[in-house]
């Protein structure tokens, strides 16, 4: 299997290099430990207004995923015929003249040291966005520590030339430090004073639904070069989504767009499924679905947003955060400090038990803490506990399959394929 994967990657890389050399698209790359996919989707909404554009599908951000995004094919997974079709499509792009996007928006990730540099050398981005790293980043288990993770992410900037742009999160110190050795131009975004593109006055927007107030989106003001423009985005929630909009706005500015046009483009943006999405739950409850993945920074952000949202009762269903190595216990215990306003805590997995243990030490009501090892086991019990007016946050790492809990308590499970992550046959069969 390992030899087959290496062979597939070698063929894909060879084709991608020739395709990019032939068509010379503008490459916008996006990396970070938190918020990559949301930023990619927001950037795509902005830049597609200026010409033909393609983005990475879903979270296609690995060696294989980035290559498939360039070629414009879906992942065939374990199908030999599917891979043959991918290779033939690549050859066709090389041999014949096709309509090819002028701009590619590519999400780039790293599981282990060296991953980002390989992809940077492959795609040679013209604009590189780094979203956030956080104090304990995801995948740190495979690195010597958070500093090495930040160093790895910075490699997306290593191929930038004098006319290229690095777009960095001003509020994340590990990301901001990357500007020291960049050859191209640097622009920063964030909430902090000093950011080139800055957000202020962030608020949740509420509307009425069946006589109750329900969040419908976010609003904030964007400040740049002496101008202030109001932004409003529907069906999207939390400050993490403001960062996605800021990254996209900065890309738009680099491409010469004005703030009003960028603001209009972002009205079409919606957060990707499984990233702080609000879904109707059983018995007039509301689910805050953040089941795509989990890192300490993203877990804290989800709980912060939960605190902003009104509810009769708040239920936090938190699964293991994986690939944290020696930081596992410390990071999980730190989550307990963010449980202010939570009425019921439900943990899923062996690592998440540290959250429950620390919550008990912090005087969280013991009778309101429930611990499970598997998502299916937790789903069955949670389904019994839901009452009208509940707000249920569901979050955990990908392998915890927390979307199964969302599906069990959502009001319309027939819409799971549309509203939830990991609904492809390959995932459902795992």
């Amino acid at each position: 299997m390992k030899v087959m994967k290496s062979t597939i990657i070698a063929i894909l890389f060879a084709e991608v290099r020739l395709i990019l050399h032939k068509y010379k698209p503008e490459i916008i790359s996006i990396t970070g430990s938190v918020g990559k996919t949301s930023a990619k989707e927001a950037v795509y909404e902005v830049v597609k207004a200026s010409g033909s554009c393609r983005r990475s599908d879903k979270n296609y951000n690995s060696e294989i995923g980035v290559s498939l995004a360039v070629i414009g094919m879906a992942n065939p997974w374990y199908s030999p015929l599917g891979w043959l079709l991918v290779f033939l499509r690549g050859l066709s792009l090389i041999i014949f003249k096709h309509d090819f996007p002028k701009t590619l928006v590519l999400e780039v990730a790293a599981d282990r040291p060296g991953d980002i540099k390989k992809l940077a050398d492959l795609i040679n981005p013209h604009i590189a966005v780094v979203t956030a790293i956080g104090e304990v980043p995801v995948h740190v288990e495979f690195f010597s520590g958070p500093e090495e993770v930040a160093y790895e992410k910075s490699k997306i900037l290593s191929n930038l030339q004098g006319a290229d742009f690095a777009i960095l999160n001003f509020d994340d110190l590990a990301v901001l430090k990357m500007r020291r050795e960049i050859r191209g131009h640097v622009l920063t975004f964030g909430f902090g004073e000093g950011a080139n593109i800055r957000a202020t006055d962030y608020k949740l927007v509420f509307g009425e639904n069946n006589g109750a107030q329900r969040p419908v989106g976010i609003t904030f003001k964007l400040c740049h070069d002496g101008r202030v423009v109001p932004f409003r985005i529907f069906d999207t929630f939390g400050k993490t989504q403001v960062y996605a909009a800021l990254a996209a706005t900065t890309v738009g500015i680099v491409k010469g767009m004005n703030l009003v046009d960028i603001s209009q483009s972002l009205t079409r943006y919606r957060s990707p499924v499984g990233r702080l999405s609000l879904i109707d739950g059983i018995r007039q409850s509301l689910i805050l679905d953040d089941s795509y993945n989990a890192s300490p920074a993203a877990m804290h952000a989800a709980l912060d947003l939960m605190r902003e949202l009104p509810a009769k009762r708040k239920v936090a269903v938190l699964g293991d955060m994986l690939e944290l190595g020696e930081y596992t216990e410390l990071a999980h215990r730190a989550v307990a400090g963010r449980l202010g306003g939570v009425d019921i805590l439900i943990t899923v997995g062996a690592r998440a038990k540290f959250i429950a243990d620390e919550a008990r030490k912090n005087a969280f009501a013991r009778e309101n803490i429930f611990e499970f090892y598997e998502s299916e086991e937790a789903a069955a019990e949670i389904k019994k506990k839901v009452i009208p007016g509940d707000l249920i946050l569901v979050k955990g790492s990908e392998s915890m399959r927390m979307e199964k809990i969302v599906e069990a308590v959502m009001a319309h499970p027939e819409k799971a394929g549309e509203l939830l992550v990991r609904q492809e046959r390959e995932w459902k069969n795992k």
Side-chain angles (χ1 to χ4, degrees):
M1 184 65 73
K2 192 173 182 180
V3 173
M4 182 183 297
K5 182 178 179 181
S6 297
T7 302
I8 288 171
I9 291 172
I11 295 171
L12 290 174
F13 271 36
E15 290 190 340
V16 166
R17 287 192 180 94
L18 291 171
I19 290 167
L20 295 180
H21 178 75
K22 177 178 179 178
Y23 294 98
K24 295 180 172 54
E26 179 183 47
I27 306 289
I28 302 171
S29 63
I30 299 167
T31 196
S33 295
V34 182
K36 295 185 296 295
T37 304
S38 295
K40 175 202 69 182
E41 293 297 326
V43 168
Y44 174 72
E45 288 298 338
V46 169
V47 301
K48 73 178 184 180
S50 61
S52 62
C53 179
R54 178 190 297 153
R55 70 193 186 285
S56 306
D57 189 26
K58 300 171 185 174
N59 63 324
Y60 281 18
N61 55 30
S62 63
E63 294 169 311
I64 289 176
V66 170
S67 299
L68 290 170
V70 173
I71 294 172
M73 294 286 283
N75 192 337
W77 293 85
Y78 305 109
S79 168
L81 176 60
W83 281 113
L84 177 61
L85 292 174
V86 168
F87 299 149
L88 290 175
R89 172 63 179 172
L91 283 174
S92 178
L93 286 167
I94 294 164
I95 297 169
F96 304 106
K97 183 68 175 177
H98 290 259
D99 287 332
F100 195 82
K102 293 179 181 177
T103 304
L104 294 175
V105 182
L106 302 176
E107 180 181 335
V108 176
D111 289 334
R112 287 170 172 75
D115 287 353
I116 295 282
K117 181 57 177 170
K118 286 179 193 173
L119 290 169
D121 290 344
L122 177 69
I123 63 177
N124 288 301
H126 305 94
I127 300 173
V129 179
V130 186
T131 57
I133 303 296
E135 292 182 12
V136 183
V138 71
H139 305 311
V140 71
E141 178 180 5
F142 306 115
F143 295 81
S144 62
E147 297 79 11
E148 190 182 10
V149 176
Y151 177 74
E152 177 67 25
K153 300 292 185 181
S154 74
K155 289 301 178 182
I156 199 64
L157 311 171
S158 61
N159 291 29
L160 296 178
Q161 302 303 311
D164 299 330
F165 282 84
I167 296 174
L168 307 178
N169 185 338
F170 182 85
D171 299 337
D172 189 302
L173 184 59
V175 174
L176 192 60
K177 285 180 179 178
M178 296 178 187
R179 65 182 174 180
R180 295 173 179 169
E181 299 182 16
I182 294 170
R183 288 190 293 272
H185 304 282
V186 179
L187 285 174
T188 60
F189 63 91
F191 286 87
E193 289 189 28
N196 298 120
I197 292 83
R198 184 181 176 217
T200 64
D201 300 291
Y202 157 79
K203 294 178 183 176
L204 285 169
V205 179
F206 291 86
E208 191 169 307
N209 183 41
N210 295 326
Q213 288 290 300
R214 173 171 174 158
V216 295
I218 57 175
T219 183
F220 58 95
K221 292 179 182 176
L222 191 139
C223 311
H224 170 63
D225 202 20
R227 295 194 64 196
V228 179
V229 174
F231 278 56
R232 186 164 179 156
I233 307 175
F234 290 98
D235 297 323
T236 294
F237 310 97
K239 283 191 173 182
T240 56
Q241 298 302 331
V242 178
Y243 281 109
L246 289 172
T249 299
T250 311
V251 171
I253 289 169
V254 167
K255 291 177 69 63
M257 299 175 65
N258 66 62
L259 291 181
V260 174
D261 289 342
I262 293 170
S263 175
Q264 183 61 37
S265 294
L266 284 172
T267 61
R268 298 188 297 268
Y269 168 70
R270 298 293 181 269
S271 58
V273 294
R275 280 85 161 182
L276 296 176
S277 305
L278 282 176
I279 299 174
D280 290 323
I282 57 174
R283 303 183 203 115
Q284 291 79 53
S285 64
L286 193 60
I287 305 165
L288 183 57
D289 176 17
D290 206 25
S291 59
Y292 167 68
N293 210 344
S295 68
M299 186 74 82
H300 296 173
L303 287 165
D304 289 346
L305 174 58
M306 190 182 198
R307 197 158 42 243
E308 293 181 58
L309 297 171
K312 290 181 180 178
R313 192 175 70 161
K314 297 184 180 181
V315 182
V317 185
L318 309 179
D320 286 355
M321 297 181 290
L322 303 179
E323 300 178 352
L324 299 180
E326 64 182 286
Y327 299 92
T328 295
E329 181 175 350
L330 177 67
H332 284 83
R333 290 189 181 278
V335 171
R338 298 277 183 152
L339 296 177
V342 173
D343 299 293
I344 294 178
L345 171 65
I346 298 171
T347 65
V348 183
R351 299 163 186 82
K353 286 183 175 292
F354 290 123
I355 303 174
D357 182 62
E358 192 68 18
R360 281 188 285 267
K361 290 181 180 179
N362 293 348
F364 197 103
R366 289 174 176 266
E367 65 272 17
N368 290 336
I369 298 176
F370 304 88
E371 301 171 67
F372 302 93
Y373 280 102
E374 302 289 341
S375 59
E376 294 91 343
E377 178 190 15
E381 189 62 29
I382 294 166
K383 197 170 182 178
K384 300 175 188 175
K385 297 183 182 299
V386 175
I387 63 173
D390 276 355
L391 174 65
I392 308 163
L393 168 64
V394 181
K395 185 164 186 63
S397 281
E398 179 184 275
S399 297
M400 298 307 297
R401 303 301 303 276
M402 301 296 282
E403 76 277 1
K404 294 181 179 180
I405 296 173
V406 181
E407 186 171 4
V409 297
M410 65 192 297
H412 300 286
E414 71 276 7
K415 294 183 178 180
E418 172 190 348
L419 299 178
L420 304 188
V421 294
R422 291 181 283 274
Q423 297 302 295
E424 299 88 348
R425 182 182 59 196
E426 292 80 10
W427 274 107
K428 297 287 275 187
N429 290 339
K430 280 190 176 184

